[in-house]
Amino acid sequence: MNFADPSSALLAAAGGDTVKLFDVSVEPGDPCTLSYTPSPAFHVNSVKWNHTNLVVASAGDDKKISLWRKNGQSMGTIPLAGTDSGDNNEESIMAISFSNKGSRYLCSGGSGQVVRIWDLQRKRCIKWLRGHTDTITGAMYNCKDEHLASISLRGDLILHNLASGARAAELKDPNNQVLRVLDYSRISRHLLVTAGDDGSVHLWDTTGRNPKVSWLKQHSAPTAGVSFSPSNDKVIATVGLDKKLYTFDSGSRRPSFCIPYEAPFSSLAFRDDGWILAAGTSSGRVVFYDVRGKPHPFTVLRAYGSSEAVTSLCWQKSKPVLVNENNCTAETALLGGAVEDSILMPDPLPSATLSTLSTSVTTAGSRNPSRSGPSVEPSSMLAASSGSMPSSLNSSTAEETPLRSSLWAGGSLARLHPPRKYNFKDDMEVFSPLVEVQPITPSLDKLWDEPDGAKKDHLSVDKKPSLLFPSSNRRYPLSEGGGSDLNPIFEWKSSSTSIQSMKPHRRIVIPSI
């Protein structure tokens, strides 16, 4: 075999209910180094290597994500048995993908029409990205882990913002065709390619609404695989059930090369160096092409029986996270030792509507031991790990302090100034990582108990949209100290007038934690 460097890269393949690992540099001899069946009789639809090159993740019709070390040791499945209902997965999984910065986060999509993001360190689902109305056939992070793209049988292409969970864009196949496969550029954050049942290939710049380039009906049958070259995102390769492999140059409206084969293709994967292309077939073979110049097949691997299609392929990474394979824990083999920083934010604490919270106040220091309140999604517990939140806030008109002399003894309240200007940019153009999620308290506006006819219109309110929560109301975290030295809180006003001179004065007493 002419595989050149890196000759040690292993190829993971899925066919039927079996996952196999191949050392394609072995000659002669059996290149298969490991073969295992995650769930007998359940087809495997997707397989991926993690960032240490020690763990393979696979998923399929068994509705689980299976993790195996390349030495043959099973690391269990996700979700864990007996976890709460938010982690239960009752769908066949069609696609999985690791984030690009590390192996802690993995996304999945399938017949449940929801993209799920799993935290493999905590072994649970932390985010649900909705919007599809049919089976999801592909899901993948962009190269900066800022956005996640997903496609479906209905032809929808949705871009999800990973920080907010909002949909950054909702696009559609130009011909309203089923979308089967997609791939993100490893180099350009906004460049992705999709293909589907009509044989057309569309190159998208996700800052626009329409494909940048379309190669219409190149395949005469459904497209089964598409991939950017990892080293040059101007080069795109596709395979289809029409037994043809195409390569495209994004600067041309015509395909660069067309290479036929004797059997329909079913999957595709570029090696990280961009030289070698592995194409799986419906007859259980994997055909290897050297794409330097005109692609030509130089060897064929008999991976599965002739009746089993090779449904997924994935190469090991050329620059893995290095760990001591012979002396590392299962968690280190999976995550690489250090937990990477990520812009991924779990779903926020319960999006409690203010109508569900009580608007009267109890005496300071009291709280409701029953912790009644809105229901919490599983991901909420992660977001609340940095602090606690009372389950109910009560207010009382008896706690009003109309006299300035009875405000507080802790000194004057520091003045708050509004930012001089706001710099709003396209969500696709700028992103600020979010490291910590603070607990949420109700909007300050709702804690005021106004007497009849009283208005607060004379106070200017900060109307800057929140990048963290969709509500325009400013939310304030509770003091972590939980002491009795509570200071009144006022909305800030951009003027030279002292805040203490505002009338009437209100004091809000928040229960101690």
Side-chain angles (χ1 to χ4, degrees):
M1 293 185 182
N2 180 27
F3 284 96
D5 264 338
S7 60
S8 60
L10 299 182
L11 177 70
D17 61 359
T18 305
V19 175
K20 293 184 179 182
L21 307 184
F22 296 97
D23 183 352
V24 292
S25 65
V26 173
E27 187 178 6
D30 184 3
C32 183
T33 63
L34 177 65
S35 175
Y36 64 91
T37 302
S39 297
F42 289 96
H43 278 261
V44 179
N45 297 321
S46 185
V47 61
K48 290 290 186 292
W49 282 100
N50 79 327
H51 287 69
T52 66
N53 285 348
L54 299 180
V55 178
V56 176
S58 63
D61 294 345
D62 61 352
K63 307 175 183 179
K64 296 180 291 187
I65 299 169
S66 300
L67 301 172
W68 287 70
R69 293 185 65 167
K70 72 174 187 178
N71 61 9
Q73 176 187 356
S74 173
M75 299 177 64
T77 61
I78 306 293
L80 298 174
T83 53
D84 55 54
S85 59
D87 286 351
N88 291 340
N89 183 45
E90 298 299 330
E91 64 179 13
S92 295
I93 300 175
M94 303 302 295
I96 58 173
S97 180
F98 281 104
S99 65
N100 285 289
K101 291 183 179 179
S103 299
R104 177 174 176 179
Y105 299 108
L106 179 142
C107 68
S108 68
S111 60
Q113 306 173 12
V114 176
V115 177
R116 296 170 182 258
I117 297 181
W118 303 87
D119 185 337
L120 299 187
Q121 185 178 39
R122 293 183 172 93
K123 303 292 193 296
R124 66 180 306 168
C125 183
I126 60 170
K127 187 176 282 290
W128 298 259
L129 303 176
R130 297 176 171 85
H132 287 289
T133 57
D134 209 333
T135 297
I136 295 170
T137 54
M140 190 174 184
Y141 295 83
N142 78 340
C143 62
K144 298 293 185 180
D145 283 350
E146 298 165 336
H147 295 89
L148 185 149
S150 57
I151 57 174
S152 75
L153 292 179
R154 194 173 291 272
D156 298 318
L157 167 60
I158 299 180
L159 303 179
H160 309 269
N161 183 305
L162 289 177
S164 66
R167 284 168 243 165
E170 295 184 56
L171 308 174
K172 186 81 173 177
D173 181 85
N175 302 320
N176 293 319
Q177 294 292 312
V178 168
L179 288 177
R180 294 284 181 185
V181 287
L182 89 158
D183 193 30
Y184 248 122
S185 166
R186 278 73 157 177
I187 303 168
S188 303
R189 60 196 293 203
H190 299 312
L191 208 59
L192 65 83
V193 61
T194 62
D197 279 5
D198 69 341
S200 298
V201 180
H202 303 290
L203 176 65
W204 302 80
D205 182 332
T206 56
T207 58
R209 301 294 304 175
N210 298 301
K212 183 178 180 181
V213 182
S214 291
W215 295 275
L216 299 177
K217 298 184 178 179
Q218 290 297 316
H219 291 281
S220 58
T223 308
V226 63
S227 181
F228 280 102
S229 168
S231 59
N232 180 5
D233 61 11
K234 294 185 182 298
V235 176
I236 301 169
T238 65
V239 293
L241 299 182
D242 59 352
K243 308 179 183 180
K244 293 179 181 177
L245 181 149
Y246 283 97
T247 60
F248 301 91
D249 185 329
S250 62
S252 172
R253 297 282 177 175
R254 302 185 63 182
S256 302
F257 299 104
C258 175
I259 301 94
Y261 189 65
E262 64 188 29
F265 289 106
S266 55
S267 55
L268 184 69
F270 257 111
R271 199 171 69 175
D272 270 5
D273 57 12
W275 297 351
I276 305 300
L277 190 63
T281 72
S282 61
S283 59
R285 307 293 193 267
V286 179
V287 187
F288 296 93
Y289 295 86
D290 188 333
V291 296
R292 291 171 289 181
K294 181 179 180 179
H296 62 277
F298 60 87
T299 192
V300 177
L301 173 67
R302 297 189 178 187
Y304 295 91
S306 59
S307 62
E308 291 180 318
V310 181
T311 53
S312 182
L313 293 168
C314 184
W315 290 93
Q316 281 184 319
K317 300 183 182 302
S318 60
K319 296 179 180 179
V321 176
L322 298 179
V323 297
N324 187 340
E325 180 180 356
N326 298 321
N327 186 24
C328 68
T329 64
E331 182 173 351
T332 301
L334 176 61
L335 303 178
V339 177
E340 76 281 355
D341 291 332
S342 175
I343 68 171
L344 175 66
M345 185 193 76
D347 278 345
L349 286 169
S351 54
T353 59
L354 296 176
S355 62
T356 64
L357 297 175
S358 171
T359 56
S360 71
V361 170
T362 59
T363 306
S366 67
R367 59 181 175 178
N368 185 355
S370 64
R371 300 188 64 85
S372 62
S375 60
V376 181
E377 285 188 323
S379 64
S380 306
M381 303 309 296
L382 301 181
S385 60
S386 61
S388 61
M389 175 180 178
S391 58
S392 64
L393 293 176
N394 304 322
S395 86
S396 170
T397 55
E399 295 296 317
E400 291 183 0
T401 308
L403 300 178
R404 181 170 54 185
S405 60
S406 61
L407 283 176
W408 65 90
S412 61
L413 178 66
R415 295 182 60 188
L416 303 178
H417 298 279
R420 298 190 178 187
K421 64 178 181 178
Y422 298 139
N423 183 17
F424 296 108
K425 291 188 177 181
D426 190 321
D427 175 57
M428 302 294 293
E429 295 296 337
V430 65
F431 180 81
S432 297
L434 295 174
V435 177
E436 183 176 301
V437 180
Q438 295 294 334
I440 308 169
T441 61
S443 169
L444 185 59
D445 291 338
K446 297 298 182 180
L447 291 178
W448 285 89
D449 191 359
E450 289 292 338
D452 292 340
K455 301 290 182 181
K456 301 190 302 301
D457 295 341
H458 63 285
L459 296 179
S460 62
V461 182
D462 183 4
K463 297 298 183 182
K464 180 178 180 181
S466 171
L467 295 180
L468 182 57
F469 304 103
S471 171
S472 63
N473 294 327
R474 179 174 293 275
R475 300 173 186 269
Y476 295 86
L478 293 176
S479 170
E480 294 181 359
S484 60
D485 186 15
L486 297 176
N487 293 338
I489 302 173
F490 290 90
E491 293 173 304
W492 56 261
K493 178 180 179 183
S494 178
S495 70
S496 60
T497 305
S498 171
I499 293 180
Q500 293 191 41
S501 65
M502 294 181 181
K503 296 183 179 181
H505 297 283
R506 305 284 186 244
R507 182 177 64 179
I508 305 303
V509 177
I510 301 176
S512 299
I513 298 176

